Each structure stands twice: as C-alpha cells, then as structure tokens.
Amino acid sequence: MHFSIQNILFLLVAAAGFGLFAWQVRKIRANILVGRDRDMSGNVSERLNKTLLVALGQQKMFKRITPALLHLIVYVGFIVINIEVVEILIDGIFGTHRALSFLGPLYSALVGTNEVLGALVILAVAAFWWRRNVKKVRRFTGPELRMWPRLDANIILYVEVILMVALFTMNAADLKLHQIEGVDLPGAFPISSLLTGLLPDNAAALEILERVGWWAHIVGILCFLNYLPSSKHFHIILAFPNVYYSRLVPQGQFSNVDSITHEVKAMMDPSYQVPAPATNPDGSAMAPTPFGAKDVNDLAWTNLLNAYSCTECGRCTSVCPANITGKLLSPRKIIMDTRDRMEEKYNSPLIFQPNLYGTEAKHAEPEVLDKENHTLLRGYVTPEELWACTTCNACVEACPVNINPLESIVEMRRFLVLEESAAPNSLNVMFSNIENNGAPWAFSPSDRFNWADELYVAAK
Amino acid sequence: MSNLAAAGEEPEILFWVGCAGAFDDRYKRVTRAFVRILEHVGVKYAVLGMEETCTGDPAKRAGNEFLFQMQAMQNITTFEGYGIKKIVTACPHCFNTIKNEYPALGGNYEVIHHSTFLQQLINEGRVGVAGGGEFKGQRITFHDSCYLGRANNIYEAPRDVLATLDADLVEMKRSKANGLCCGAGGAQMWKEPEPGKKDINVERTEEALAALDGNAAALDGLLGVESGNAGATPAPRNGQQRSIIAVSCPFCMTMMSDGVKNKERENNVQVFDLAELIATAEGLNA
Ligand code: SF4
Ligand code: SF4
C-alpha cells in the first residue's frame, strides 16, 4: 500500500463522479414525483418475483432470440465487469494493486471470465451496430428516432468498446510488465495474453500504458455513469424499479376514476355521502384535478417512471396494429414524448438536455401540433395518434421492461372526452346511443330480445 | 330473467347476450347457437332480455369514464336485484369489463367467457362432437381476440374447443400473446380508421388467408411480420378448398368477415364463432 498523488486524485475524481450522478438522480426522481399519486405498496413477494424474472432474468427479451442473446452477453459482461470495478475502486483508494488477487484460483476464474466476456461484448456491440446502422432493423427507424436518440444509441455502443479496449490495454500491459520482470501476475488472461505482442517491450512505456488503461477504464465508467441520466441507457438502472412497480392486474383491466364513481353514486342515490375532497397539508382546498391527462403532471408517477425507463427499442411500436398499418400512432413516441415534456416543463438540470434537441424533426406533421398549448397533449401528442389506438395491449405485452403506453393513451383520451368534449364525431354518436338506447348502435331497447324470434331449439 | 324470478327460481347461469349479440344480425346467429347448446345440455340459464344494457366498454375505452360508470352502476343494480352470481357471455369485451372493472364499483361475479364455458362442457362430456361432424379435415385457423388473450390470458380454451372438431387446425404467424388485433377494439368499431396504408382487418385477414392456404410467400406482403420467424408453415392448399376462420368475439367476427369480403374470398372462406361450430357439429343448428 503506498499513498500517492494518484490516490488523492482518484478520490477527488470518484467523489465528483458519484456526487454528480446522485445529483442527477435526485432531479429525475423529482420529475417522476410530479405525477399523480398512486398506491403501489404491498404484494412485495409477487413484485420481487416479477422483477427477478423480467428485469434480472430478461424473460421478455427472449421473445426475439437474436437480440436477446446479444443483449445477454453485454448484460452479463456488465455485471461481471462491475466486480473488476470494485477492485479498481479499492486499488484507487488504497493504492493497492489487484487487491482481490488474494482470492487465488477464484480470482483467476473471475479475471479470465471477464476477459472472455469483454471480447464477446466487443463482438456483440459490433453486431448491434450493424443491426442499427447497416441492416437498419425496421424498429430502429421511425420519426420519433430523430437525431439525438439515433446518436445516443451509437454513443452507448462506442463507449462500451472504449471501456473494453481500456480494460484490455490495462491487463495486457500489466501482464507484459510482469513477464519482463519475471514475476507471476495473479489472474488468468486468455485474451490479453494474445495481445502482449502488440505492445512495446519497454518497461517504462508499459507502466504508462497500464496506468493509462486503468485511468481510462475508471474515468470512462464515471463519465458513462453521468451520461446515463441523459440517455435511454438509464434503463440499466430503472428497469428494476419499473418492473417492480408494474401492474399486477389483468391487462384488460382499466382503472376506474374514483372521483367519477362518487359523482355517479351520488346521482343514483341522493343519500350517498361523497367523501370530503383532499386538502393540502395546511388545510386549504386542493386545486381540482382534471379528468384524464393533459400534461405530464396529470399522469400517475408510474407512467412517468415508465418514460425514464424506456430503452427506445421500439418493440412496442413494431407490434402496434395501428403503427403497422401506417397510422400516426407509435407507442414508443408517446413514451418518449412524456420524457421530453417532463424535461422541458420541469427543466430538469441534467448535465445536458439532449432529449429536447430536434423535437421538431420528430413529428411527421409538425403543423398539427398546437404550439400555443404547450402541454403533453397537443404540444407533443396529437389527438389523431390517440384515436388510432385499438387498446389491444400488444405494446404492453411486447415491452421488455413492462412499460404501459396504453395507460397514458387512455388518460389522454379521457381528457379529450371529459374535459374538452373533443371526441371524433362518430364516437359522440356512439356515446349518445349508449345514453339513449343502452347500446352503442341506434337500436331501440325494446328490440333487444328479437334474436329469440327466430330461435328454434332442436328437440332433445 | 324476470319470468324466472317471478316463479321464484334461480338460474345456474346468467347468459349475458351483449349489444352485438342482441342487435348485430350476424352475431344474433351466434347467440341462438349458444342458446341451443345451453338447451341441449340442459343448463338452467336466464337472459335479461330488455333489462340488459351496454356494459359501457366502448365508452370506457374511448375515454368516456362517466358514461361507463353510469352503465356499470345500472347493470350492477340489475344483477344485485336478481342475486346473480355467475355470468356467461360470448363477448370478450363484456367479459373483461364485468369481470375486471365491475368489482371496483361493487359488482363481484363469477364471469366466464363462452369459450371457457364450452371447454368445460366438453371436458365434462356434456358436449361431445363425435368424429368432428362436418368439420372433419377442414382447415381452421383461430383468431385470438385481444380482450380474451392478452387482456385475460385465455389462449387454450378456444383451441381446446376447436380440437374436438377433428379439423386441420393451423396457426397464424402472429397468434396467442403475439396475435394481431382485428382493428375493432378500443371503440374503433364505431369510427373510421385514421388515415394509413391499410386497414387493420385487411392485414389480419391476409395473414389468416396465408395460414389457411399454406401460402408462406403471402406473408412477405404483410407489413408487420418479420421474415424468418420460426413456426411451421402448413402444407399448401389450393385456394379453392373451403376453410374457416374461427373467432370468439362479435367485433372480430365483423372485422374478419369484412376482410374476407375485401379479399373476395367469401366463396371458400367462412368466418364462424366457436359456438356456431360446436352447435353445427352437434347437429343443433337445424
Ligand atoms: S394498445 Fe394501442 S398503442 Fe398499444 S399496440 Fe395496441 S393499438 Fe398500439
Ligand atoms: S416502451 Fe418498452 S417496448 Fe417500447 S420502446 Fe420503450 S422499452 Fe421498448
């Protein structure tokens, strides 16, 4: 153990990196909490189980085998490489070198696995890059994947490669240094041992290379950590709480609006006692909340958590019947719009606000947007998109991190209908049919039993 | 129902006919087929007749929560008045709404979709289609309705029912949890689709026809099917042979029938509900 200027520098860099990250996370947390309250407590074991299967176990990824395998490599690589990060942190703080090497054979196995995974990650990333930029898999296109999301996806891939290269530089230089000195380096290096030939034979140069690799790896990781909150890659963290807080009820079950229940009950039974409206902590009456959602703060906090967990993979949009047949609706866009609007409205001071760049370019028809009404509804999402939804739940089923675009869509439809009476005319006709005839079609209730007229039941 | 109640009798089940089952000319045939099955097996059932009113499903999906709850409360009052405990319906939308959304409003019932109900009758041996009747060997493909499948995880019941027909069952490329919507849910039934490249029901019908004809090449013409998807392709057939698209929802019925007309295949492709298939195979649709 020898303390040096390097240790102090490392401590400063690490503290700054983690501190900045914590600050950003707090901003995002505050953004999510502007959403409406929704009680998600209870069912802990069922929720943990789901998190284990869907988030940790990647259950829903395996609906598509190729990307699932590629993703699994990067994901397992990420977890195992984190053990190495622990070692880097210990070494950096205490001035040790390969602090975990006392683990002996276990250490060798760890480092060896790490090396193999590192190489596989580079291959997987290359495949991802190819799928995205050369093969142009259909779901990686679309108007909502405007400049920034496109760049973001590639930045993540490049950074992953840089981190792996730094890792191999560090290991290979360290290995060669030890070989020159004739000392055994603890650990197994199946990949780095192949790379030593590429390095200079000069011990001083090797020492510098090893340090460069080491610093590049850890600084790279800290930078990446602070990049996450601005990126779809934040899902590596939020996928877990997002799955934990996902709905446990059948997908077909839509929420009932409680305030309307009270109103309807009071209409049907004049003696019904409507509960007193909620008050602010100081006892004053709360501003009335609108029916449905016009802006992000009208959505539930879980819907907002959804928006920050989205990986922009487009699996939802690629199965959406409306989108498939060329309608304007894209569930992924609804989710991305929600995130963009949160950052616009609450001006979340992330390091930079990439999600706001190129907003204009995202919309196929910007003229349908009402820029005066700068809210989620009309400012980002147009009624035309909302009315195209068949509420089929395909998007909900497809999302690997259990995001529910449908809930947000229905909330905005509620606002259009209940607050603005802005449903398409044919739907208004349907509403009045139900009101007047008890059926969505214009038939008289007295004809309801006519089907039985032609009923002939075969004798038994 | 009111007649039974007046006689002081309690039915085993309430058959919830639904607006489509009561008013849609095509789906009235399904209502009658299902009643024939009920009569055949001797289940004591009742219908509400003119006391039935829309469950509120289309209003709710369209965002009109107020209208939905008015309808729901009205129906719950009727159910409570008759002491209803068990409800069977042939409409997945009515099924989903009564089963999942009425409890929060105070209406708790055992709600069963007719596909599950038919499956139970078959398992109990009360309906047994000896040798599949007239459907033996015919090619049938089942279209999953969203509100039965993804919404409520019912995938096997309708397939079990079809299996008793001894027919040549084939699956579409997108089926079960990956099934494609017929295009009518979420109140789309009552409005024109938004502008796009194609109507959803046409896309879905093309997929069904590709499965029925065993025409793998036709899948390439579809918009959302990723090529190279795993899944066996049924043996090719000549387009002249008669085949069937089985549905278990009134909206799917309308959408798929329109799709078949659009593709001008009415001469050899028919759309039937599960209840009709069973009733016909049992010789009940005299
Ligand atoms: S629920 Fe709506 S948005 Fe989601 S896939 Fe179906 S039609 Fe698209
Ligand atoms: S909502 Fe889910 S499926 Fe859709 S893009 Fe985001 S992560 Fe992917």
Side-chain angles (χ1 to χ4, degrees):
Chain A
M1 203 189 276
H2 57 287
F3 280 99
S4 69
I5 185 94
Q6 270 206 49
N7 298 111
I8 299 167
L9 198 62
F10 177 80
L11 273 177
L12 289 176
V13 169
F18 286 111
L20 194 58
F21 180 68
W23 178 76
Q24 294 195 73
V25 168
R26 278 194 43 185
K27 296 291 170 200
I28 288 187
R29 196 183 122 87
N31 266 6
I32 291 172
L33 290 180
V34 303
R36 280 190 191 170
D37 211 11
R38 172 179 287 178
D39 186 12
M40 284 300 208
S41 58
N43 303 311
V44 176
S45 62
E46 196 180 341
R47 289 185 181 283
L48 284 177
N49 212 350
K50 215 172 179 179
T51 313
L52 230 63
L53 275 175
V54 177
L56 201 64
Q58 315 242 305
Q59 189 190 41
K60 289 172 96 180
M61 283 296 286
F62 277 87
K63 285 192 151 192
R64 299 187 194 215
I65 196 78
T66 315
L69 289 176
L70 295 175
H71 186 264
L72 191 70
I73 292 171
V74 178
Y75 170 65
V76 175
F78 168 76
I79 291 176
V80 176
I81 283 163
N82 269 330
I83 301 173
E84 180 127 351
V85 174
V86 172
E87 183 178 55
I88 289 186
L89 289 178
I90 299 175
D91 286 348
I93 296 169
F94 299 109
T96 49
H97 187 70
R98 298 196 176 258
L100 299 183
S101 57
F102 69 91
L103 293 170
L106 183 61
Y107 183 73
S108 296
L110 212 67
V111 177
T113 321
N114 217 333
E115 288 235 317
V116 174
L117 279 169
L120 286 176
V121 165
I122 294 182
L123 292 180
V125 164
F128 276 142
W129 189 89
W130 182 79
R131 282 168 62 84
R132 209 170 259 280
N133 299 293
V134 182
K135 193 177 173 207
K136 294 205 163 74
V137 171
R138 189 177 171 266
R139 63 189 162 91
F140 299 139
T141 62
E144 69 268 25
L145 281 200
R146 55 202 186 279
M147 269 156 50
W148 169 254
R150 218 177 278 280
L151 183 63
D152 179 30
N154 281 326
I155 288 177
I156 295 161
L157 297 178
Y158 300 143
V159 170
E160 270 158 12
V161 170
I162 291 171
L163 289 179
M164 292 307 112
V165 169
L167 182 80
F168 285 127
T169 311
M170 173 182 97
N171 277 352
D174 204 12
L175 189 64
K176 191 157 190 182
L177 203 57
H178 281 72
Q179 280 168 354
I180 291 174
E181 291 169 357
V183 196
D184 232 18
L185 178 65
F189 302 92
I191 308 291
S192 292
S193 58
L194 305 175
L195 301 173
T196 47
L198 302 172
L199 302 179
D201 300 318
N202 177 322
L206 285 175
E207 213 161 318
I208 292 174
L209 266 182
E210 193 271 343
R211 283 294 91 188
V212 168
W214 189 90
W215 275 99
H217 194 57
I218 189 65
V219 171
I221 284 176
L222 288 173
C223 289
F224 199 38
L225 186 69
N226 280 289
Y227 173 73
L228 292 187
S230 310
S231 156
K232 72 175 188 121
H233 213 52
F234 205 37
H235 77 267
I236 63 171
I237 296 170
L238 285 191
F240 292 87
N242 195 65
V243 172
Y244 182 85
Y245 288 118
S246 53
R247 283 157 41 104
L248 301 175
V249 297
Q251 281 175 11
Q253 181 178 336
F254 291 16
S255 66
N256 289 322
V257 179
D258 288 340
S259 54
I260 292 182
T261 309
H262 297 312
E263 231 175 289
V264 171
K265 280 192 174 156
M267 273 176 69
M268 297 184 78
D269 172 9
S271 67
Y272 179 80
Q273 287 290 323
V274 178
T279 50
N280 289 318
D282 63 6
S284 61
M286 273 196 338
T289 43
F291 296 126
K294 181 185 195 185
D295 211 345
V296 282
N297 51 316
D298 300 325
L299 290 169
W301 65 268
T302 48
N303 303 132
L304 302 184
L305 175 61
N306 276 185
Y308 270 116
S309 315
C310 178
T311 73
E312 296 170 16
C313 67
R315 287 167 185 241
C316 51
T317 296
S318 75
V319 295
C320 172
N323 189 276
I324 287 172
T325 55
K327 280 100 189 164
L328 220 45
L329 172 64
S330 160
R332 170 173 60 189
K333 176 179 169 292
I334 306 274
I335 296 294
M336 290 169 68
D337 283 344
T338 307
R339 175 175 166 153
D340 294 358
R341 172 62 184 153
M342 266 191 285
E343 308 215 322
E344 179 194 52
K345 182 167 184 185
Y346 296 100
N347 203 18
S348 175
L350 300 178
I351 294 179
F352 52 112
Q353 295 181 314
N355 297 303
L356 298 182
Y357 304 149
T359 312
E360 301 293 335
K362 153 170 69 160
H363 301 284
E365 294 164 70
E367 69 273 16
V368 295
L369 289 174
D370 177 354
K371 283 291 171 193
E372 292 292 294
N373 255 323
H374 216 228
T375 49
L376 179 62
L377 177 59
R378 298 191 191 281
Y380 285 76
V381 180
T382 58
E384 180 178 338
E385 291 163 64
L386 298 173
W387 291 120
C389 175
T390 69
T391 71
C392 71
N393 264 306
C395 52
V396 182
E397 183 78 34
C399 180
V401 292
N402 277 6
I403 286 170
N404 188 329
L406 178 52
E407 229 177 50
S408 307
I409 292 172
V410 171
E411 285 298 333
M412 284 186 266
R413 280 190 179 184
R414 282 178 180 164
F415 189 89
L416 285 173
V417 170
L418 298 170
E419 298 281 346
E420 296 188 336
S421 304
N425 193 43
S426 48
L427 289 186
N428 284 329
V429 171
M430 180 264 284
F431 294 152
S432 62
N433 280 333
I434 293 183
E435 254 180 79
N436 302 325
N437 310 327
W441 294 284
F443 289 109
S444 158
S446 57
D447 291 342
R448 222 177 229 286
F449 211 22
N450 288 0
W451 57 267
D453 294 350
E454 293 166 44
L455 181 66
Y456 165 75
V457 179
K460 270 172 256 166
Chain B
M1 180 69 225
S2 55
N3 296 346
L4 269 190
E9 291 191 61
E10 265 197 15
E12 253 177 82
I13 60 164
L14 176 79
F15 171 35
W16 178 269
V17 177
C19 300
F23 294 123
D24 181 283
D25 279 336
R26 178 69 187 84
Y27 221 65
K28 277 195 233 173
R29 304 217 309 256
V30 177
T31 305
R32 289 194 284 267
F34 189 63
V35 163
R36 286 181 188 118
I37 295 172
L38 291 176
E39 296 278 352
H40 173 68
V41 297
V43 176
K44 205 158 159 199
Y45 71 98
V47 293
L48 285 175
M50 289 173 209
E51 288 176 272
E52 202 181 276
T53 175
C54 176
T55 57
D57 161 83
K60 187 175 186 87
R61 312 298 138 190
N64 197 337
E65 181 70 9
F66 195 81
L67 181 56
F68 161 72
Q69 292 206 10
M70 293 290 289
Q71 293 298 117
M73 296 286 187
Q74 199 176 329
N75 282 318
I76 290 172
T77 309
T78 310
F79 292 148
E80 297 302 313
Y82 289 121
I84 302 291
K85 292 181 195 74
K86 191 166 167 181
I87 300 171
V88 178
T89 176
C91 174
H93 294 265
C94 299
F95 164 73
N96 176 69
T97 307
I98 303 177
K99 174 173 175 277
N100 294 323
E101 286 157 4
Y102 280 20
L105 303 172
N108 288 289
Y109 316 99
E110 184 188 350
V111 192
I112 304 174
H113 183 254
H114 80 322
S115 57
T116 310
F117 189 77
L118 290 172
Q119 181 196 32
Q120 286 168 2
L121 290 180
I122 291 164
N123 289 347
E124 290 164 8
R126 293 164 82 183
V127 176
V129 186
E134 65 174 88
F135 299 109
K136 189 176 170 74
Q138 289 200 10
R139 189 166 276 183
I140 303 183
T141 189
F142 177 69
H143 163 75
D144 287 277
S145 44
C146 309
Y147 274 82
L148 204 57
R150 275 188 296 270
N152 288 292
N153 276 315
I154 298 177
Y155 300 110
E156 292 314 320
R159 289 179 169 77
D160 283 0
V161 172
L162 289 175
T164 61
L165 296 177
D166 208 13
D168 174 15
L169 299 179
V170 292
E171 290 286 355
M172 291 183 235
K173 271 284 190 242
R174 290 171 284 200
S175 66
K176 300 190 181 170
N178 301 323
L180 186 80
C181 179
C182 70
Q188 300 294 337
M189 186 82 191
W190 290 274
K191 61 184 257 306
E192 286 300 312
E194 273 55 39
K197 283 187 258 187
K198 206 195 238 187
D199 285 349
I200 295 172
N201 64 329
V202 172
E203 165 89 0
R204 186 55 167 167
T205 307
E206 286 172 359
E207 189 175 5
L209 295 177
L212 291 171
D213 299 344
N215 183 356
L219 288 172
D220 293 340
L222 296 179
L223 296 166
V225 175
E226 277 181 25
S227 57
N229 264 357
T233 314
R237 291 193 138 199
N238 86 47
Q240 295 312 308
Q241 274 166 296
R242 207 181 98 163
S243 27
I244 291 166
I245 300 174
V247 296
S248 56
C249 168
F251 301 164
C252 299
M253 169 73 83
T254 304
M255 286 301 184
M256 300 308 283
S257 304
D258 286 354
V260 170
K261 271 185 220 124
N262 181 290
K263 297 266 118 190
E264 300 181 350
R265 288 289 298 272
E266 313 97 292
N267 55 333
N268 56 11
V269 178
Q270 286 159 299
V271 186
F272 283 123
D273 183 273
L274 296 178
E276 291 177 298
L277 291 171
I278 294 296
T280 307
E282 283 271 66
L284 302 175
N285 270 345

